[in-house]
Amino acid sequence: AVPSMASCDGGTNISIFGNSFFLSSLIACKFGDVAIVPADFISRNQLSCTSPEVSSEIEDLMEASIQVSMNGVDFAPSSARFHFGPPIKLISIHPDRGHPGTQIAVNGTNFHSTYGTIVCIIGNNTIRAKVLSSTQLSCIAPPQEVE
């Protein structure tokens, strides 16, 4: 599964890779004992599903197996694992303005590098963040937009 980790808030698009998938209106992904969600057929080798919301009270990573069903009833055994993490919370940004190239410190909680790519969105620009710790990110201010 890609990505193999997402926030417990749910809503992350997950790609599932395997063999012999086929188009069906009953395709589903099962996340351990957490939830069964509908899946979309992408190709014979790929399905897509959206991670479900789980308790926002979790304080650490929670693991769940991912299983797939083509008929909505029978789920194939799988060694694929998925991890739910506590939600990211933003506390502060410093500085709150600056010139292109300014380093921006973003402070918060649950910045896990295993979430995959974490980004800063500044105006219409999406900038990859550097994860410094579970409580701090760094982004570089992009060039100014000219209108």
Side-chain angles (χ1 to χ4, degrees):
V2 177
S4 61
M5 181 178 174
S7 167
C8 64
D9 291 336
T12 299
N13 187 43
I14 310 295
S15 293
I16 309 291
F17 298 95
N19 297 312
S20 304
F21 296 139
F22 55 88
L23 185 60
S24 166
S25 62
L26 301 174
I27 303 172
C29 293
K30 181 178 180 183
F31 289 81
D33 295 329
V34 175
I36 297 172
V37 298
D40 294 314
F41 175 82
I42 305 299
S43 72
R44 286 181 41 89
N45 300 314
Q46 183 180 354
L47 300 175
S48 175
C49 56
T50 302
S51 66
E53 182 178 347
V54 298
S55 172
S56 61
E57 301 300 315
I58 67 171
E59 294 179 15
D60 203 357
L61 299 180
M62 182 179 94
E63 183 179 83
S65 63
I66 297 182
Q67 296 175 289
V68 173
S69 172
M70 300 309 292
N71 64 11
V73 177
D74 302 308
F75 287 86
S78 170
S79 61
R81 296 282 182 247
F82 189 80
H83 294 88
F84 293 97
I88 290 174
K89 293 182 183 169
L90 185 63
I91 295 172
S92 67
I93 299 171
H94 183 77
D96 62 358
R97 60 183 56 119
H99 299 287
T102 299
Q103 184 169 336
I104 303 165
V106 181
N107 297 296
T109 60
N110 303 319
F111 297 145
H112 297 283
S113 60
T114 51
Y115 272 148
T117 302
I118 298 177
V119 298
C120 294
I121 299 173
I122 303 170
N124 292 326
N125 298 287
T126 301
I127 299 101
R128 187 179 184 133
K130 181 177 181 182
V131 178
L132 303 175
S133 72
S134 65
T135 60
Q136 190 170 46
L137 305 174
S138 175
C139 290
I140 304 297
Q144 269 185 317
E145 298 172 10
V146 178
E147 293 188 31

